[in-house]
């Protein structure tokens, strides 16, 4: 969840605030505009999805469209900035979970966090899927880092004989995207947790804890 506090723009994903990275050497007024645009963009993208009007974002932020483009030259650059803090925290969480006593629980818990976070942004899944294959995309590096973090958790779980071996990190990334997309559909949203449990049970072949989901 994103919050604003004065000119600060922070992310709360696991309870601890994470301040988004700022541009170095930015003038105070430009920095204020940058952070304000991000705060407004988060609201608009959450409401209207990844295809939200950049003109509408600029209008709500009280800046000219040219000012928005100076800070974020493309839509993907803006989305990358909005998502990067969350992706970075999910990546850090994955590293912590690599030493968890139950690799199967760690994998399922992390996967649920990824699905929950990406599901907060309507339409972002399509952008993520496209970015993972497009090295020129501003989202590419963040998506690859996220996929790599998940791959390590999956590989560890497979090595312990707790996850099916006929899947890889690409499959895990695709399943996370599919679950986030399903959770965004009005017809399937009420069954999102049930659907997640089905997929988790399909990934984990011999669950050490005897549970079918992290919940």
């Amino acid at each position: 969840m994103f919050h604003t506090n004065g000119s600060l723009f922070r992310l709360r994903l696991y309870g601890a605030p994470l301040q988004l990275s700022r541009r170095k050497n930015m003038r105070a007024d430009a920095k204020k505009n940058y952070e304000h645009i991000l705060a407004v963009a988060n609201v608009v993208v959450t409401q209207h999805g990844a295809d939200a009007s950049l003109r509408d974002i600029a209008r709500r932020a009280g800046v000219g469209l040219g000012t928005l483009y100076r800070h974020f030259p493309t839509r993907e650059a803006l989305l990358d900035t909005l998502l990067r803090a969350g992706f970075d925290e999910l990546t850090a969480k994955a590293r912590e979970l690599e030493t968890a006593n139950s690799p199967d629980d760690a994998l399922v818990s992390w996967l649920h966090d990824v699905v929950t976070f990406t599901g907060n942004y309507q339409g972002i899944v399509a952008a993520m899927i496209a970015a993972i294959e497009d090295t020129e995309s501003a989202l590419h590096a963040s998506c690859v880092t996220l996929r790599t973090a998940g791959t390590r958790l999956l590989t560890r779980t497979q090595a312990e004989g707790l996850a099916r071996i006929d899947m890889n990190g690409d499959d895990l990334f695709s399943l996370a995207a599919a679950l986030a997309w399903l959770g965004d559909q009005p017809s399937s949203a009420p069954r999102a947790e049930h659907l997640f449990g089905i997929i988790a049970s399909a990934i984990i072949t011999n669950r050490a804890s005897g549970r079918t989901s992290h919940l």
Side-chain angles (χ1 to χ4, degrees):
M1 181 181 300
F2 287 82
H3 299 273
T4 56
N5 179 15
S7 64
L8 295 182
F9 185 51
R10 297 176 181 273
L11 168 76
R12 287 183 180 270
L13 184 57
Y14 301 110
L18 179 64
Q19 185 171 324
L20 291 174
S21 60
R22 308 280 180 77
R23 291 182 176 181
K24 295 181 180 179
N25 303 320
M26 188 182 290
R27 297 194 323 270
D29 57 339
K31 182 183 293 186
K32 184 176 180 179
N33 272 341
Y34 176 78
E35 293 162 2
H36 180 58
I37 291 170
L38 276 178
V40 172
N42 178 68
V43 173
V44 177
V45 172
T46 301
Q47 290 175 342
H48 301 290
D51 292 328
S53 167
L54 298 184
R55 188 177 299 278
D56 186 37
I57 292 172
R59 179 183 60 79
R60 292 199 196 187
V63 300
L65 191 59
T67 298
L68 186 148
Y69 279 123
R70 278 197 297 274
H71 291 298
F72 308 103
T74 66
R75 179 185 300 276
E76 284 188 339
L78 176 59
L79 292 176
D80 177 63
T81 304
L82 286 175
L83 295 174
R84 193 184 316 128
F87 284 178
D88 287 349
E89 193 166 353
L90 286 165
T91 298
K93 180 72 178 295
R95 293 194 184 101
E96 294 174 5
L97 290 171
E98 286 180 31
T99 58
N101 291 330
S102 301
D104 53 341
D105 284 339
L107 174 61
V108 172
S109 175
W110 183 83
L111 181 62
H112 191 274
D113 286 343
V114 172
V115 171
T116 299
F117 177 74
T118 54
N120 289 333
Y121 293 91
Q122 181 182 12
I124 198 62
V125 170
M128 289 173 59
I129 292 296
I132 204 73
E133 301 296 337
D134 182 6
T135 58
E136 299 300 317
S137 168
L139 280 168
H140 178 74
S142 294
C143 288
V144 169
T145 299
L146 187 68
R147 181 183 61 183
T148 300
T151 299
R152 289 197 299 267
L153 290 178
L154 174 62
T155 301
R156 179 173 180 247
T157 308
Q158 290 169 328
E160 295 291 330
L162 299 174
R164 58 192 303 156
I165 61 174
D166 60 341
M167 66 179 294
N168 57 26
D170 290 338
D171 298 325
L172 187 68
F173 186 88
S174 295
L175 287 172
L179 285 165
W181 182 86
L182 284 170
D184 196 36
Q185 307 309 305
S187 61
S188 58
R191 300 167 54 242
E193 291 296 337
H194 174 67
L195 294 171
F196 179 88
I198 291 174
I199 297 301
S201 295
I203 295 172
I204 304 301
T205 57
N206 185 24
R207 195 161 184 78
S209 62
R211 290 181 285 120
T212 58
S213 82
H214 80 299
L215 302 176

